[in-house]
Amino acid sequence: MKLYTKQGDRGDTSVVGGKRNKGDARIEAFGSFEEVNALIGKAQLMAAEEKSGTDLQKDLERIQHELFDCGSDVADIRAETARKVDNSTVEWLERRIDQYTEEAPALRKFILPGGTPLSAELHLARTVCRRAERELVRAGEAEDVPAPVLMYMNRLSDYLFSAARIANSRAGTADVEYERSAEVFTTEQDRENKK
């Protein structure tokens, strides 16, 4: 089997149910899914090297598969078709975000991407994830896009933020606080104390 088909030489690509221009917003979105996936692949290798926990490594591998699912769902332009990403996929991410948020030190100020190399890589993946989400929103202005995929990408950026903080915390490295940030995040205890 040859890797090249020459079908895209004029700027078009195949999707499930038709063809699209490679500049189409839908194509841009799942291209960004691939970028996020590559960054997460690198982060997973770094997590193993930094001994950041097998839970984080397993999460990242699972997310790589789910990003393929997201791309598959977005590449299928047929109106009535079964989708791979659903609410349970989103709920799993929410549970992991909650667990990592509970484990990490309390967040009070905005933080800068950085700390450990793994944390910086996860922040980079987060920013590309946010771009992919914006591209998917733009695609949704012209036609329906799978709502669970949009929710998943939104939660994934939150997951990557929490995972970046966990990478720092587990390495004993403090998050780098934005030096001109006010205290913008409050804890339950802070809210109780204000009463």
Side-chain angles (χ1 to χ4, degrees), residues 26-40:
R26 184 179 288 259
I27 305 305
E28 291 284 346
F30 70 76
S32 291
F33 296 170
E34 290 180 318
E35 286 182 65
V36 175
N37 207 332
L39 291 168
I40 289 173

Side-chain angles (χ1 to χ4, degrees), residues 22-190:
K22 290 183 179 181
D24 182 88
R26 184 179 288 259
I27 305 305
E28 291 284 346
F30 70 76
S32 291
F33 296 170
E34 290 180 318
E35 286 182 65
V36 175
N37 207 332
L39 291 168
I40 289 173
K42 183 177 178 187
Q44 184 194 28
L45 294 172
M46 294 171 77
E49 290 171 3
E50 292 185 18
K51 298 178 177 54
S52 296
T54 57
D55 58 337
L56 183 56
Q57 293 170 49
K58 288 177 183 177
D59 284 0
L60 295 174
E61 182 176 354
R62 175 180 174 152
I63 289 166
Q64 285 191 283
H65 289 280
E66 290 172 347
L67 279 166
F68 258 84
D69 292 341
C70 288
S72 174
D73 284 355
V74 172
D76 190 340
I77 61 172
R78 298 172 298 177
E80 299 298 324
T81 187
R83 302 295 183 185
K84 295 176 180 175
V85 177
D86 59 22
N87 289 341
S88 67
T89 318
V90 175
E91 290 164 0
W92 176 81
L93 271 180
E94 291 172 346
R95 286 191 301 276
R96 297 306 289 153
I97 293 165
D98 292 344
Q99 289 168 355
Y100 286 160
T101 301
E102 185 69 27
E103 179 184 338
L107 182 65
R108 296 189 181 278
K109 296 182 176 186
F110 288 116
I111 62 170
L112 302 178
T116 66
L118 173 59
S119 179
E121 190 72 24
L122 289 164
H123 277 295
L124 181 58
R126 176 185 57 82
T127 64
V128 176
C129 181
R130 289 174 62 105
R131 174 170 32 96
E133 180 188 5
R134 292 189 304 270
E135 290 168 348
L136 192 57
V137 167
R138 277 194 293 280
E141 291 171 356
E143 62 186 326
D144 286 340
V145 295
V149 174
L150 186 55
M151 290 189 305
Y152 182 87
M153 296 306 288
N154 181 272
R155 295 310 182 284
L156 180 57
S157 65
D158 293 334
Y159 170 87
L160 292 167
F161 180 83
S162 63
R165 295 196 68 232
I166 283 301
N168 278 341
S169 178
R170 290 179 179 177
T173 301
D175 288 320
V176 181
E177 289 185 338
Y178 169 47
E179 63 186 25
R180 288 180 282 285
S181 177
E183 289 200 6
V184 293
F185 302 101
T186 58
T187 64
E188 284 294 321
Q189 186 64 44
D190 294 335

